[in-house]
Amino acid sequence: MAAQHDFTSLVALRTKGGELTALRAISGPEQVRQVQPLLQFDPRGSAPASQLDAVEAAIRNLRQLGRRVMLDASEVAHLPAFGHGPTGPLGQLADRLSDPVDLLDAIAPSTFVPVVRSDADLQSAAALGRLCHELAAGGALRIRPATAARATIEQIIEQLALDTGEIDLIVDLQYVPEVTAARVDEAAAILSALAELGEFRTTSLLSGSIPRTLARTSTWEQPRNEEVLWDQLSQNGATELRLGDYGTIHPIPSEGFGSKHVNLKYTCPEHWFYSRERMPEPSDQAMDSPRARTFRIVCRNLVESDSFAGPEFSWGDREILETAAGQGQGSGSSSKPVALAISHHLAYLAGRRAA
């Protein structure tokens, strides 16, 4: 098992179809050697039982590759279908993972790093602290600026009953539409104040700059503001700060709606590449669905651009090239663009270097 501090990038992914498909496509330890996944249960995702099964499989697969998952159940802990008690589905998964999956599973029992948020009540923080001790994996503390008061954080750490050296600190800014001097100063002030509490196992800055909806069609680029912000803080002295992002998804979940467009959000050094096209009306003469036909165009836009990394870069890139050529499978699935984009994104993060 890789040391828990041995990563340069953290990625927060929801437990939905596209994200989990991309995780299942990871096949070698080099693809996660520098990448720390943080999975967060989604109340708007598939049925609780299906999410639990999928997350268990992801944890076991990543464990085989040497990476322990951070797991955040804050948004579903109050839903009875996800499990009873203050730890919700995390307690269920701890029980499931305590046993090998089969007789050939000889590796030590899988564990994960429980995540507590800075708006958690003290009872929940204490329960998650007990789970952290049970799993012997430490914990992660996810802090948003609105609940970053020193007294609040000190109380949560006290309830966790962990030394700061056993805690991965995550400063979560969520959506960052632009990088301004004021935003850099705000993030630096939060990091400085938290550093006074002790030396944490790791410290990551988590944010995302992809807007909730894309307003254009064809192709265009946008700065990767999450990386710009992290870079400015690193250059200003936060040399041990890890980059964290939300993959290729907007940081704040929404109810979702039936879009008439298909898009692909593609990670590049210093920028996002967006390809988006409107679906045509259904046709009786067409061999496949409007979504599948449009996704082929979206992929072709990327493949013909200077931003495409090539089919050898990741499973997702290979699928993008095949889809552009009309050979891909499942092109009509609404989760397929997310799966391919996240696959490429994970490979991008794996190839990054620390500041």
Side-chain angles (χ1 to χ4, degrees), residues 98-284:
S98 63
D99 296 321
V101 67
D102 53 43
L103 294 177
L104 300 178
D105 188 9
I107 299 179
S110 298
T111 58
F112 55 87
V113 179
V115 176
V116 61
R117 295 194 186 182
S118 54
D119 60 356
D121 60 74
L122 298 183
Q123 180 183 7
S124 297
L128 286 169
R130 290 191 291 272
L131 183 60
C132 290
H133 285 281
E134 176 187 332
L135 296 173
L141 177 53
R142 188 174 184 176
I143 297 173
R144 289 176 178 161
T147 52
R150 177 169 180 150
T152 300
I153 305 306
E154 287 179 328
Q155 283 185 316
I156 290 178
I157 293 175
E158 181 180 353
Q159 294 300 314
L160 289 174
L162 295 170
D163 294 332
T164 54
E166 301 174 280
I167 298 173
D168 297 295
L169 182 67
I170 303 166
V171 176
D172 184 2
L173 302 184
Q174 295 185 285
Y175 183 46
V176 178
E178 60 179 341
V179 178
T180 62
R183 191 176 293 275
V184 174
D185 290 343
E186 176 194 32
I190 294 172
L191 291 166
S192 178
L194 293 171
E196 295 176 1
L197 300 178
E199 186 174 347
F200 291 92
R201 180 162 62 183
T202 65
T203 301
S204 301
L205 182 72
L206 175 61
S207 66
S209 65
I210 290 179
R212 188 183 298 279
T213 58
L214 301 181
R216 297 167 55 180
T217 56
S218 190
T219 65
W220 70 101
E221 297 178 1
Q222 174 200 302
R224 258 183 62 77
N225 291 325
E226 50 274 90
E227 202 155 349
V228 173
L229 178 59
W230 167 84
D231 185 63
Q232 290 196 23
L233 290 164
S234 298
Q235 296 302 321
N236 290 338
T239 56
E240 297 299 321
L241 185 65
R242 271 75 166 175
L243 169 70
D245 67 28
Y246 280 86
T248 62
I249 307 298
H250 182 72
I252 303 172
S254 64
E255 294 295 335
F257 60 93
S259 175
K260 295 183 178 180
H261 293 80
V262 178
N263 67 69
L264 189 63
K265 301 159 185 170
Y266 195 77
T267 321
C268 306
E270 301 181 351
H271 71 271
W272 293 106
F273 177 90
Y274 298 143
S275 177
R276 180 175 184 258
E277 299 289 348
R278 184 179 176 86
M279 289 187 289
E281 295 298 322
S283 170
D284 293 336

Side-chain angles (χ1 to χ4, degrees), residues 12-20 38-55 70-83 88-90 93 117 142 144 212 246 249-256 335 338 342:
L13 302 174
R14 294 189 168 269
T15 55
K16 301 182 76 170
E19 291 88 332
L20 292 169
L38 188 163
L39 298 184
Q40 48 192 66
F41 281 94
D42 195 322
R44 301 170 185 81
S46 59
S50 297
Q51 285 195 53
L52 283 164
D53 289 345
V55 171
M70 294 178 182
L71 200 54
D72 188 344
S74 304
E75 295 176 17
V76 302
H78 65 289
L79 301 176
F82 276 92
L90 301 191
L93 282 169
R117 295 194 186 182
R142 188 174 184 176
R144 289 176 178 161
R212 188 183 298 279
Y246 280 86
I249 307 298
H250 182 72
I252 303 172
S254 64
E255 294 295 335
S335 66
V338 175
I342 293 290

